[in-house]
C-alpha cells in the first residue's frame, strides 16, 4: 500500500483529502504545517507522495518543499502542490523547487486521481 502525506492548515481540506485518498486505497498521513510535515516525512522514509498546500503558518509549502528536496533521501516522494496560487510565476517557482505537479483549489476527486496517475502514484 502506498502512503501519501496531506499537508494543509485547514482541517476541512485534510478531511476531504483523506476521504478521497481512501477511495484510491492509499495510506494517509497528515500534517497541518510544513514543519510538522517535515517531521512526518523524516519519520516515514518510504513516503510515496505529498499533497502540499502553499500558504500555511510556521513553515509554508515552498519552504517545506525546498527543505525536503535538499535532504539526502533514498527515495524522494512525488510532490503535488495544491493551492489557490494560480499565477504562472508561482507555478513555475513551485516546479523549479521540485514539485512534480500542481492542482488548483478547490479540487475534485477526478483531478486528484488524474494528477496521481500522471505522476505514477496510482
Amino acid at each position: 500500500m502506498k502512503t501519501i502525506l496531506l499537508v494543509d492548515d485547514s482541517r476541512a481540506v485534510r478531511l476531504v483529502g483523506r476521504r478521497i485518498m481512501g477511495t484510491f486505497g492509499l495510506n494517509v498521513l497528515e500534517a497541518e504545517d510544513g514543519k510538522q510535515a517535515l517531521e512526518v516525512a523524516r519519520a516515514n522514509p518510504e513516503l510515496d507522495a505529498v499533497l502540499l498546500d502553499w500558504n500555511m503558518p510556521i513553515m509554508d509549502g515552498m519552504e517545506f518543499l525546498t527543505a525536503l528536496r535538499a535532504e539526502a533521501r533514498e527515495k524522494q516522494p512525488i510532490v503535488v502542490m495544491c493551492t489557490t496560487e494560480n499565477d504562472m510565476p508561482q507555478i513555475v517557482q513551485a516546479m523549479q523547487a521540485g514539485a512534480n505537479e500542481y492542482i488548483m483549489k478547490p479540487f475534485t476527486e477526478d483531478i486528484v486521481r488524474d494528477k496521481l496517475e500522471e505522476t505514477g502514484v496510482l
Side-chain angles (χ1 to χ4, degrees):
M1 176 182 289
K2 291 189 176 182
T3 300
I4 189 165
L5 171 58
L6 303 179
V7 187
D8 202 297
D9 57 325
S10 167
R11 184 172 178 269
V13 171
R14 291 194 316 272
L15 284 171
V16 169
R18 179 176 280 283
R19 183 191 55 76
I20 290 172
M21 299 310 153
T23 66
F24 302 154
L26 297 173
N27 179 40
V28 180
L29 305 173
E30 294 183 29
E32 60 186 41
D33 60 59
K35 182 178 181 287
Q36 190 180 67
L38 204 51
E39 293 167 2
V40 172
R42 287 174 176 155
N44 294 275
E46 294 303 312
L47 186 64
D48 296 290
V50 179
L51 190 62
L52 180 62
D53 185 24
W54 189 309
N55 297 308
M56 297 177 290
I58 303 173
M59 177 187 275
D60 70 23
M62 284 301 296
E63 292 169 320
F64 165 81
L65 179 59
T66 301
L68 179 71
R69 293 303 192 221
E71 290 192 348
R73 296 175 64 96
E74 219 175 281
K75 174 185 176 185
Q76 278 283 346
I78 298 295
V79 176
V80 178
M81 292 295 290
C82 181
T83 182
T84 58
E85 299 290 338
N86 64 354
D87 292 334
M88 188 53 69
Q90 277 94 358
I91 295 171
V92 170
Q93 180 185 4
M95 300 306 268
Q96 288 176 340
N100 300 91
E101 265 302 343
Y102 205 92
I103 295 174
M104 298 302 303
K105 285 181 182 175
F107 54 84
T108 65
E109 184 174 329
D110 289 339
I111 291 170
V112 174
R113 180 186 299 108
D114 289 347
K115 295 298 182 180
L116 293 180
E117 286 176 350
E118 287 173 21
T119 57
V121 177
L122 295 180

